PDB file of all heavy atoms in Angstrom:
ATOM      1  N   ARG D 163     187.519  59.697 -19.367  1.00  0.00           N
ATOM      2  CA  ARG D 163     188.611  60.108 -20.255  1.00  0.00           C
ATOM      3  C   ARG D 163     189.798  60.647 -19.459  1.00  0.00           C
ATOM      4  O   ARG D 163     190.956  60.428 -19.832  1.00  0.00           O
ATOM      5  CB  ARG D 163     188.110  61.168 -21.240  1.00  0.00           C
ATOM      6  CG  ARG D 163     187.089  60.679 -22.267  1.00  0.00           C
ATOM      7  CD  ARG D 163     187.633  59.605 -23.171  1.00  0.00           C
ATOM      8  NE  ARG D 163     186.724  59.328 -24.288  1.00  0.00           N
ATOM      9  CZ  ARG D 163     186.705  58.201 -24.977  1.00  0.00           C
ATOM     10  NH1 ARG D 163     187.560  57.224 -24.662  1.00  0.00           N
ATOM     11  NH2 ARG D 163     185.867  58.026 -25.976  1.00  0.00           N
ATOM     12  N   THR D 166     191.604  57.523 -18.004  1.00  0.00           N
ATOM     13  CA  THR D 166     192.321  56.714 -18.989  1.00  0.00           C
ATOM     14  C   THR D 166     193.520  57.451 -19.573  1.00  0.00           C
ATOM     15  O   THR D 166     194.356  56.831 -20.229  1.00  0.00           O
ATOM     16  CB  THR D 166     191.387  56.252 -20.123  1.00  0.00           C
ATOM     17  OG1 THR D 166     190.766  57.384 -20.741  1.00  0.00           O
ATOM     18  CG2 THR D 166     190.327  55.302 -19.592  1.00  0.00           C
ATOM     19  N   GLY D 187     191.173  64.761  -5.645  1.00  0.00           N
ATOM     20  CA  GLY D 187     191.364  64.848  -4.206  1.00  0.00           C
ATOM     21  C   GLY D 187     190.504  65.907  -3.545  1.00  0.00           C
ATOM     22  O   GLY D 187     190.051  65.735  -2.400  1.00  0.00           O
ATOM     23  N   SER D 192     189.669  62.756   2.340  1.00  0.00           N
ATOM     24  CA  SER D 192     191.077  62.370   2.422  1.00  0.00           C
ATOM     25  C   SER D 192     191.419  61.464   1.247  1.00  0.00           C
ATOM     26  O   SER D 192     190.555  60.801   0.668  1.00  0.00           O
ATOM     27  CB  SER D 192     191.385  61.639   3.735  1.00  0.00           C
ATOM     28  OG  SER D 192     190.777  60.356   3.758  1.00  0.00           O
ATOM     29  N   ALA D 197     201.007  51.343   1.298  1.00  0.00           N
ATOM     30  CA  ALA D 197     202.243  50.674   0.891  1.00  0.00           C
ATOM     31  C   ALA D 197     202.019  49.659  -0.217  1.00  0.00           C
ATOM     32  O   ALA D 197     202.963  49.289  -0.930  1.00  0.00           O
ATOM     33  CB  ALA D 197     202.890  49.995   2.106  1.00  0.00           C
ATOM     34  N   ILE D 215     182.015  51.646   4.381  1.00  0.00           N
ATOM     35  CA  ILE D 215     181.888  50.683   3.286  1.00  0.00           C
ATOM     36  C   ILE D 215     183.017  50.899   2.287  1.00  0.00           C
ATOM     37  O   ILE D 215     183.534  52.006   2.135  1.00  0.00           O
ATOM     38  CB  ILE D 215     180.517  50.741   2.583  1.00  0.00           C
ATOM     39  CG1 ILE D 215     180.305  52.094   1.897  1.00  0.00           C
ATOM     40  CG2 ILE D 215     179.403  50.420   3.557  1.00  0.00           C
ATOM     41  CD1 ILE D 215     179.076  52.101   0.977  1.00  0.00           C
ATOM     42  N   THR D 238     213.101  45.207 -26.575  1.00  0.00           N
ATOM     43  CA  THR D 238     212.443  43.935 -26.299  1.00  0.00           C
ATOM     44  C   THR D 238     211.563  44.129 -25.072  1.00  0.00           C
ATOM     45  O   THR D 238     211.889  44.901 -24.167  1.00  0.00           O
ATOM     46  CB  THR D 238     213.458  42.816 -26.062  1.00  0.00           C
ATOM     47  OG1 THR D 238     214.275  43.146 -24.929  1.00  0.00           O
ATOM     48  CG2 THR D 238     214.349  42.619 -27.282  1.00  0.00           C
ATOM     49  N   GLY D 244     197.495  39.929 -18.723  1.00  0.00           N
ATOM     50  CA  GLY D 244     197.086  39.066 -19.825  1.00  0.00           C
ATOM     51  C   GLY D 244     196.898  39.805 -21.134  1.00  0.00           C
ATOM     52  O   GLY D 244     195.904  40.510 -21.323  1.00  0.00           O
ATOM     53  N   ILE D 245     197.833  39.645 -22.058  1.00  0.00           N
ATOM     54  CA  ILE D 245     197.768  40.281 -23.372  1.00  0.00           C
ATOM     55  C   ILE D 245     197.758  39.202 -24.449  1.00  0.00           C
ATOM     56  O   ILE D 245     198.563  38.263 -24.417  1.00  0.00           O
ATOM     57  CB  ILE D 245     198.969  41.221 -23.591  1.00  0.00           C
ATOM     58  CG1 ILE D 245     198.918  42.389 -22.600  1.00  0.00           C
ATOM     59  CG2 ILE D 245     198.998  41.753 -25.020  1.00  0.00           C
ATOM     60  CD1 ILE D 245     200.087  43.362 -22.743  1.00  0.00           C
ATOM     61  N   ARG D 247     198.883  38.114 -27.791  1.00  0.00           N
ATOM     62  CA  ARG D 247     199.987  38.513 -28.667  1.00  0.00           C
ATOM     63  C   ARG D 247     199.558  38.671 -30.117  1.00  0.00           C
ATOM     64  O   ARG D 247     200.221  39.356 -30.898  1.00  0.00           O
ATOM     65  CB  ARG D 247     201.140  37.498 -28.574  1.00  0.00           C
ATOM     66  CG  ARG D 247     201.699  37.336 -27.163  1.00  0.00           C
ATOM     67  CD  ARG D 247     202.953  36.491 -27.151  1.00  0.00           C
ATOM     68  NE  ARG D 247     202.833  35.235 -27.872  1.00  0.00           N
ATOM     69  CZ  ARG D 247     202.279  34.129 -27.402  1.00  0.00           C
ATOM     70  NH1 ARG D 247     201.759  34.118 -26.178  1.00  0.00           N
ATOM     71  NH2 ARG D 247     202.221  33.035 -28.133  1.00  0.00           N
ATOM     72  N   ILE D 249     197.243  40.441 -31.336  1.00  0.00           N
ATOM     73  CA  ILE D 249     196.856  41.807 -31.695  1.00  0.00           C
ATOM     74  C   ILE D 249     198.019  42.793 -31.637  1.00  0.00           C
ATOM     75  O   ILE D 249     197.845  43.973 -31.960  1.00  0.00           O
ATOM     76  CB  ILE D 249     195.720  42.319 -30.784  1.00  0.00           C
ATOM     77  CG1 ILE D 249     196.222  42.498 -29.337  1.00  0.00           C
ATOM     78  CG2 ILE D 249     194.528  41.395 -30.828  1.00  0.00           C
ATOM     79  CD1 ILE D 249     195.202  43.131 -28.414  1.00  0.00           C
ATOM     80  N   PRO D 251     201.261  43.063 -33.328  1.00  0.00           N
ATOM     81  CA  PRO D 251     201.999  43.626 -34.456  1.00  0.00           C
ATOM     82  C   PRO D 251     201.355  44.900 -35.013  1.00  0.00           C
ATOM     83  O   PRO D 251     200.156  44.945 -35.266  1.00  0.00           O
ATOM     84  CB  PRO D 251     201.978  42.491 -35.485  1.00  0.00           C
ATOM     85  CG  PRO D 251     201.912  41.249 -34.653  1.00  0.00           C
ATOM     86  CD  PRO D 251     201.016  41.620 -33.508  1.00  0.00           C
ATOM     87  N   SER D 256     203.075  53.764 -26.096  1.00  0.00           N
ATOM     88  CA  SER D 256     203.873  54.784 -25.427  1.00  0.00           C
ATOM     89  C   SER D 256     204.863  54.083 -24.513  1.00  0.00           C
ATOM     90  O   SER D 256     204.494  53.166 -23.773  1.00  0.00           O
ATOM     91  CB  SER D 256     202.989  55.724 -24.600  1.00  0.00           C
ATOM     92  OG  SER D 256     202.175  56.514 -25.436  1.00  0.00           O
ATOM     93  N   VAL D 257     206.106  54.499 -24.579  1.00  0.00           N
ATOM     94  CA  VAL D 257     207.162  53.964 -23.729  1.00  0.00           C
ATOM     95  C   VAL D 257     207.487  55.027 -22.685  1.00  0.00           C
ATOM     96  O   VAL D 257     207.850  56.160 -23.026  1.00  0.00           O
ATOM     97  CB  VAL D 257     208.417  53.625 -24.556  1.00  0.00           C
ATOM     98  CG1 VAL D 257     209.523  53.090 -23.646  1.00  0.00           C
ATOM     99  CG2 VAL D 257     208.081  52.614 -25.646  1.00  0.00           C
ATOM    100  N   ARG D 260     212.743  57.820 -19.540  1.00  0.00           N
ATOM    101  CA  ARG D 260     213.078  59.098 -18.895  1.00  0.00           C
ATOM    102  C   ARG D 260     212.197  60.221 -19.414  1.00  0.00           C
ATOM    103  O   ARG D 260     212.094  61.291 -18.805  1.00  0.00           O
ATOM    104  CB  ARG D 260     214.559  59.404 -19.089  1.00  0.00           C
ATOM    105  CG  ARG D 260     215.448  58.427 -18.324  1.00  0.00           C
ATOM    106  CD  ARG D 260     216.901  58.875 -18.258  1.00  0.00           C
ATOM    107  NE  ARG D 260     217.608  58.039 -17.296  1.00  0.00           N
ATOM    108  CZ  ARG D 260     218.189  56.889 -17.584  1.00  0.00           C
ATOM    109  NH1 ARG D 260     218.153  56.428 -18.835  1.00  0.00           N
ATOM    110  NH2 ARG D 260     218.805  56.185 -16.656  1.00  0.00           N
ATOM    111  N   GLY D 306     213.210  47.985 -17.650  1.00  0.00           N
ATOM    112  CA  GLY D 306     212.136  48.006 -16.655  1.00  0.00           C
ATOM    113  C   GLY D 306     211.115  49.101 -16.882  1.00  0.00           C
ATOM    114  O   GLY D 306     210.134  49.193 -16.135  1.00  0.00           O
ATOM    115  N   MET D 319     178.493  55.638 -32.602  1.00  0.00           N
ATOM    116  CA  MET D 319     177.059  55.898 -32.637  1.00  0.00           C
ATOM    117  C   MET D 319     176.364  55.243 -31.440  1.00  0.00           C
ATOM    118  O   MET D 319     176.888  54.334 -30.810  1.00  0.00           O
ATOM    119  CB  MET D 319     176.457  55.354 -33.932  1.00  0.00           C
ATOM    120  CG  MET D 319     177.006  56.013 -35.199  1.00  0.00           C
ATOM    121  SD  MET D 319     176.564  57.760 -35.314  1.00  0.00           S
ATOM    122  CE  MET D 319     174.797  57.644 -35.594  1.00  0.00           C
ATOM    123  N   ALA D 340     179.552  58.763  -8.916  1.00  0.00           N
ATOM    124  CA  ALA D 340     178.423  58.549  -8.010  1.00  0.00           C
ATOM    125  C   ALA D 340     178.678  59.162  -6.642  1.00  0.00           C
ATOM    126  O   ALA D 340     177.801  59.831  -6.071  1.00  0.00           O
ATOM    127  CB  ALA D 340     178.151  57.046  -7.875  1.00  0.00           C
ATOM    128  N   GLU D 347     175.479  64.910   3.207  1.00  0.00           N
ATOM    129  CA  GLU D 347     174.287  64.826   4.056  1.00  0.00           C
ATOM    130  C   GLU D 347     173.405  63.637   3.682  1.00  0.00           C
ATOM    131  O   GLU D 347     172.608  63.163   4.498  1.00  0.00           O
ATOM    132  CB  GLU D 347     173.476  66.114   3.942  1.00  0.00           C
ATOM    133  CG  GLU D 347     174.137  67.348   4.529  1.00  0.00           C
ATOM    134  CD  GLU D 347     175.196  67.937   3.612  1.00  0.00           C
ATOM    135  OE1 GLU D 347     175.287  67.501   2.437  1.00  0.00           O
ATOM    136  OE2 GLU D 347     175.923  68.830   4.063  1.00  0.00           O
ATOM    137  N   GLU D 362     195.526  42.994 -12.173  1.00  0.00           N
ATOM    138  CA  GLU D 362     195.864  42.349 -13.439  1.00  0.00           C
ATOM    139  C   GLU D 362     197.040  41.389 -13.331  1.00  0.00           C
ATOM    140  O   GLU D 362     197.329  40.645 -14.275  1.00  0.00           O
ATOM    141  CB  GLU D 362     196.156  43.409 -14.504  1.00  0.00           C
ATOM    142  CG  GLU D 362     194.974  44.309 -14.866  1.00  0.00           C
ATOM    143  CD  GLU D 362     193.841  43.575 -15.560  1.00  0.00           C
ATOM    144  OE1 GLU D 362     193.962  42.350 -15.782  1.00  0.00           O
ATOM    145  OE2 GLU D 362     192.828  44.229 -15.882  1.00  0.00           O
ATOM    146  N   LYS D 374     192.894  47.677   6.253  1.00  0.00           N
ATOM    147  CA  LYS D 374     193.041  49.041   6.745  1.00  0.00           C
ATOM    148  C   LYS D 374     191.689  49.657   7.101  1.00  0.00           C
ATOM    149  O   LYS D 374     191.517  50.279   8.142  1.00  0.00           O
ATOM    150  CB  LYS D 374     193.734  49.898   5.691  1.00  0.00           C
ATOM    151  CG  LYS D 374     193.880  51.375   6.062  1.00  0.00           C
ATOM    152  CD  LYS D 374     194.554  52.145   4.934  1.00  0.00           C
ATOM    153  CE  LYS D 374     194.654  53.625   5.259  1.00  0.00           C
ATOM    154  NZ  LYS D 374     195.560  53.895   6.388  1.00  0.00           N
ATOM    155  N   VAL D 393     181.563  34.972 -27.870  1.00  0.00           N
ATOM    156  CA  VAL D 393     181.317  34.930 -26.430  1.00  0.00           C
ATOM    157  C   VAL D 393     179.934  34.331 -26.185  1.00  0.00           C
ATOM    158  O   VAL D 393     178.934  34.807 -26.733  1.00  0.00           O
ATOM    159  CB  VAL D 393     181.385  36.341 -25.804  1.00  0.00           C
ATOM    160  CG1 VAL D 393     181.186  36.258 -24.291  1.00  0.00           C
ATOM    161  CG2 VAL D 393     182.723  37.001 -26.115  1.00  0.00           C
ATOM    162  N   ASP D 396     175.708  32.672 -21.868  1.00  0.00           N
ATOM    163  CA  ASP D 396     175.735  32.487 -20.416  1.00  0.00           C
ATOM    164  C   ASP D 396     177.015  33.017 -19.781  1.00  0.00           C
ATOM    165  O   ASP D 396     177.181  32.954 -18.566  1.00  0.00           O
ATOM    166  CB  ASP D 396     175.520  31.016 -20.044  1.00  0.00           C
ATOM    167  CG  ASP D 396     176.596  30.095 -20.594  1.00  0.00           C
ATOM    168  OD1 ASP D 396     177.472  30.583 -21.352  1.00  0.00           O
ATOM    169  OD2 ASP D 396     176.577  28.898 -20.278  1.00  0.00           O
ATOM    170  N   LEU D 424     167.183  46.863  -4.636  1.00  0.00           N
ATOM    171  CA  LEU D 424     167.326  48.301  -4.861  1.00  0.00           C
ATOM    172  C   LEU D 424     167.175  48.633  -6.338  1.00  0.00           C
ATOM    173  O   LEU D 424     166.532  49.624  -6.706  1.00  0.00           O
ATOM    174  CB  LEU D 424     168.700  48.769  -4.384  1.00  0.00           C
ATOM    175  CG  LEU D 424     168.836  49.349  -2.984  1.00  0.00           C
ATOM    176  CD1 LEU D 424     170.268  49.832  -2.772  1.00  0.00           C
ATOM    177  CD2 LEU D 424     167.861  50.486  -2.746  1.00  0.00           C
ATOM    178  N   PRO D 456     181.660  40.849   4.003  1.00  0.00           N
ATOM    179  CA  PRO D 456     180.565  40.562   3.081  1.00  0.00           C
ATOM    180  C   PRO D 456     180.763  41.371   1.802  1.00  0.00           C
ATOM    181  O   PRO D 456     180.956  42.593   1.859  1.00  0.00           O
ATOM    182  CB  PRO D 456     179.321  41.022   3.834  1.00  0.00           C
ATOM    183  CG  PRO D 456     179.737  41.091   5.269  1.00  0.00           C
ATOM    184  CD  PRO D 456     181.187  41.448   5.262  1.00  0.00           C
ATOM    185  N   VAL D 459     179.461  41.737  -6.200  1.00  0.00           N
ATOM    186  CA  VAL D 459     180.150  42.168  -7.416  1.00  0.00           C
ATOM    187  C   VAL D 459     179.139  42.774  -8.384  1.00  0.00           C
ATOM    188  O   VAL D 459     178.149  42.143  -8.741  1.00  0.00           O
ATOM    189  CB  VAL D 459     180.891  41.004  -8.104  1.00  0.00           C
ATOM    190  CG1 VAL D 459     181.530  41.467  -9.409  1.00  0.00           C
ATOM    191  CG2 VAL D 459     181.958  40.416  -7.184  1.00  0.00           C
ATOM    192  N   GLU D 472     188.895  49.008 -26.169  1.00  0.00           N
ATOM    193  CA  GLU D 472     187.776  48.463 -25.405  1.00  0.00           C
ATOM    194  C   GLU D 472     186.558  49.368 -25.590  1.00  0.00           C
ATOM    195  O   GLU D 472     186.695  50.566 -25.851  1.00  0.00           O
ATOM    196  CB  GLU D 472     188.169  48.357 -23.933  1.00  0.00           C
ATOM    197  CG  GLU D 472     189.350  47.402 -23.720  1.00  0.00           C
ATOM    198  CD  GLU D 472     189.838  47.352 -22.289  1.00  0.00           C
ATOM    199  OE1 GLU D 472     189.833  48.395 -21.616  1.00  0.00           O
ATOM    200  OE2 GLU D 472     190.244  46.264 -21.853  1.00  0.00           O
ATOM    201  N   LYS D 488     172.216  54.900  -5.173  1.00  0.00           N
ATOM    202  CA  LYS D 488     171.206  54.305  -4.283  1.00  0.00           C
ATOM    203  C   LYS D 488     171.865  53.514  -3.155  1.00  0.00           C
ATOM    204  O   LYS D 488     171.433  53.572  -2.002  1.00  0.00           O
ATOM    205  CB  LYS D 488     170.254  53.411  -5.083  1.00  0.00           C
ATOM    206  CG  LYS D 488     169.370  54.167  -6.054  1.00  0.00           C
ATOM    207  CD  LYS D 488     168.482  55.185  -5.350  1.00  0.00           C
ATOM    208  CE  LYS D 488     167.626  55.956  -6.330  1.00  0.00           C
ATOM    209  NZ  LYS D 488     166.808  57.007  -5.633  1.00  0.00           N
ATOM    210  N   MET D 494     171.651  49.378   4.218  1.00  0.00           N
ATOM    211  CA  MET D 494     171.459  48.020   3.688  1.00  0.00           C
ATOM    212  C   MET D 494     171.324  47.007   4.826  1.00  0.00           C
ATOM    213  O   MET D 494     172.005  47.123   5.835  1.00  0.00           O
ATOM    214  CB  MET D 494     172.648  47.665   2.816  1.00  0.00           C
ATOM    215  CG  MET D 494     172.900  48.681   1.692  1.00  0.00           C
ATOM    216  SD  MET D 494     171.817  48.461   0.276  1.00  0.00           S
ATOM    217  CE  MET D 494     172.708  47.182  -0.600  1.00  0.00           C
TER     218      MET D 494
END
Side-chain angles (χ1 to χ4, degrees):
R163 293 298 190 202
T166 56
S192 69
I215 64 170
T238 61
I245 295 179
R247 301 188 310 279
I249 67 174
S256 292
V257 179
R260 292 192 169 88
M319 298 294 291
E347 292 79 10
E362 296 293 359
K374 177 181 178 67
V393 183
D396 61 355
L424 265 184
V459 177
E472 298 175 324
K488 293 300 179 183
M494 305 280 277

